[in-house]
């Protein structure tokens, strides 16, 4: 499938915002109109999409859901402090090069430098794998938690974001035949450089309303009662409004509901909250804040 045919296939799969929202819902990823519109525009313009929001609001899941909807591979790059091109783009396979040199020497031959820096000696990291994806549809490239990387790495990404290309000194510029669909996520632990933002569409994902969170957790915990899901969503919402350092995300709400279902809990009460608090709050200090505020406050009807 040619790049033009691939673009046509994406237009067929995602003709409008509403259809994209429905397709995302079919893989259990619920979106509001704003997020659906941002994802649609990112696909159709096309342009990288920068998703920001608190940890656990579903930024990473957005990229995963997009890959499922388009039936294409997800290539994930998890960022961290100190990440560089060797971990993100490529690395030369030095042991294999050394082996080739010794083999050539044993046969009385010699290898030129260009012989040792060909594609067969290249270890492809996520960015290069996404660029070289042969199709038929472009891969979804998730650059996760870019705010964990440093400024130099952001600068390194600019060519990729703008041109769908990277330059390897020994090989030249490698340009994608099927430019990846790029989703960047950030927990906003620091501000990203303006140059990165200029190359992206931007959307902030807030915490869902308790009503929407009930829908989300019940899709992920199959068979969970609506009553218990409502209690969990309300309790999690109150935790987020408290003074905890790490407010629970949707993932923690799903884990909590799954744990309660496993324990056979039908109704949330203070004692149950107390013994299962570790599934939703992962810091002792935060648990103490919630206990000090009174666990009965979490399960009150209103």
């Amino acid at each position: 499938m040619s790049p033009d045919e691939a673009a046509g296939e994406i237009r067929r799969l995602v003709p409008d915002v509403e259809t994209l929202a429905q397709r995302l819902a079919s893989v259990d990823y619920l979106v509001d109109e704003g997020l659906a519109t941002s994802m649609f525009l990112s696909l159709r313009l096309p342009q990288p999409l920068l998703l920001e929001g608190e940890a656990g609001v579903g930024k990473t899941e957005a990229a995963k859901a997009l890959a499922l909807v388009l039936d294409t591979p997800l290539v994930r790059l998890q960022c961290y402090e100190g990440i560089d091109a060797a971990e993100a783009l490529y690395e030369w396979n030095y042991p294999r090069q050394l082996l080739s040199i010794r083999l050539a020497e044993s046969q009385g031959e010699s290898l030129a430098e260009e012989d040792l820096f060909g594609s067969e000696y290249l270890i492809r990291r996520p960015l290069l794998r996404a660029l070289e994806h042969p199709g038929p549809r472009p891969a979804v490239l998730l650059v996760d938690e870019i705010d964990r990387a440093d400024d130099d790495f952001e600068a390194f990404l600019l060519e990729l974001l703008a041109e769908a290309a990277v330059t390897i000194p020994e090989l030249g510029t490698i340009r994608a035949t099927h430019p990846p669909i790029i989703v960047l996520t950030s927990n906003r632990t620091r501000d990203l450089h303006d140059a990165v933002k200029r190359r992206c569409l931007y959307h902030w994902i807030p915490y869902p309303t308790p009503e929407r969170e009930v829908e989300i957790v019940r899709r992920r915990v199959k068979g969970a009662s609506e009553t218990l899901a409502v209690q969990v969503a309300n309790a999690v919402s109150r935790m987020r409004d408290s003074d905890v350092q790490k407010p629970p995300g949707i993932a923690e709400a799903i884990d909590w509901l799954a744990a309660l279902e496993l324990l056979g809990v039908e109704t949330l009460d203070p004692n149950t909250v107390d013994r299962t608090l570790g599934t939703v709050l992962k810091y002792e200090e935060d648990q103490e804040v919630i206990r000090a505020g009174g666990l009965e406050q979490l399960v009150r009807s209103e």
Side-chain angles (χ1 to χ4, degrees):
M1 188 179 290
S2 71
D4 287 343
E5 290 172 331
E9 176 71 357
I10 289 177
R11 286 196 296 273
R12 185 188 67 78
L13 288 171
V14 186
D16 51 47
V17 175
E18 185 178 3
T19 301
L20 175 59
Q22 291 171 351
R23 289 185 177 277
L24 290 168
S26 73
V27 295
D28 293 333
Y29 188 77
L30 302 181
V31 292
D32 58 24
E33 189 176 16
L35 178 56
T37 301
S38 295
M39 296 173 76
F40 173 78
L41 293 175
S42 174
L43 287 174
R44 294 291 297 274
L45 284 176
Q47 197 169 343
L49 175 61
L50 170 60
L51 297 176
E52 283 197 327
E54 300 290 344
V57 294
K59 303 183 294 296
T60 301
E61 293 301 315
K64 293 179 179 177
L66 207 51
L68 287 174
V69 163
L70 299 176
D71 189 23
T72 195
L74 174 75
V75 181
R76 179 175 181 172
L77 175 65
Q78 176 63 54
C79 296
Y80 54 87
E81 185 176 358
I83 189 172
D84 59 18
E87 286 89 15
L89 183 58
Y90 75 96
E91 189 174 17
W92 291 109
N93 190 336
Y94 295 118
R96 187 173 182 183
Q97 289 173 320
L98 184 60
L99 188 62
S100 294
I101 292 171
R102 288 178 175 172
L103 182 62
E105 288 175 345
S106 70
Q107 296 172 344
E109 301 173 352
S110 62
L111 292 176
E113 182 175 332
E114 56 267 26
D115 294 329
L116 293 171
F117 290 95
S119 61
E120 66 271 29
Y121 294 102
L122 207 57
I123 300 174
R124 291 164 172 79
R125 301 302 189 195
L127 298 184
L128 189 55
R129 293 206 305 272
L131 287 177
E132 292 187 335
H133 176 63
R137 286 177 285 279
V140 174
L141 172 61
L142 169 62
V143 182
D144 212 7
E145 298 183 321
I146 188 176
D147 51 324
R148 288 178 177 267
D150 53 34
D151 292 345
D152 290 343
F153 188 73
E154 283 186 47
F156 163 74
L157 285 178
L158 294 180
E159 183 183 14
L160 173 71
L161 295 177
E163 307 292 339
V166 293
T167 300
I168 297 176
E170 298 86 351
L171 298 178
T173 298
I174 296 177
R175 197 173 303 279
T177 56
H178 293 76
I181 298 160
I182 303 176
V183 178
L184 302 96
T185 75
S186 166
N187 294 331
R188 211 174 191 179
T189 56
R190 64 174 180 83
D191 286 333
L192 301 180
H193 197 282
D194 287 345
V196 170
K197 291 186 174 181
R198 279 199 302 273
R199 287 162 173 78
C200 299
L201 298 172
Y202 175 86
H203 186 80
W204 173 268
I205 302 182
Y207 286 120
T209 63
E211 293 76 16
R212 173 53 63 90
E213 192 151 20
V214 169
E215 291 185 64
I216 295 171
V217 298
R218 291 194 73 202
R219 281 177 176 261
R220 296 304 178 94
V221 184
K222 305 294 184 186
S225 78
E226 182 173 1
T227 299
L228 192 57
V230 168
Q231 289 181 315
V232 165
N234 287 335
V236 166
S237 177
R238 288 163 184 154
M239 290 179 188
R240 290 171 186 154
D241 291 336
S242 70
D243 293 328
V244 296
Q245 299 177 40
K246 297 290 183 183
I250 298 173
E252 283 74 25
I254 293 169
D255 289 347
W256 197 15
L257 182 59
L260 294 171
E261 285 287 326
L262 182 64
L263 294 172
V265 174
E266 296 180 354
T267 303
L268 204 56
D269 57 46
N271 179 58
T272 304
V273 173
D274 188 50
R275 66 192 178 103
T276 59
L277 202 53
T279 62
V280 67
L281 291 175
K282 310 301 174 63
Y283 288 85
E284 183 182 4
E285 295 83 357
D286 286 345
Q287 294 184 12
E288 290 305 316
V289 167
I290 293 300
R291 289 191 175 97
L295 297 179
E296 64 280 358
Q297 296 298 318
L298 293 179
V299 298
R300 71 180 190 276
S301 56
E302 262 314 322

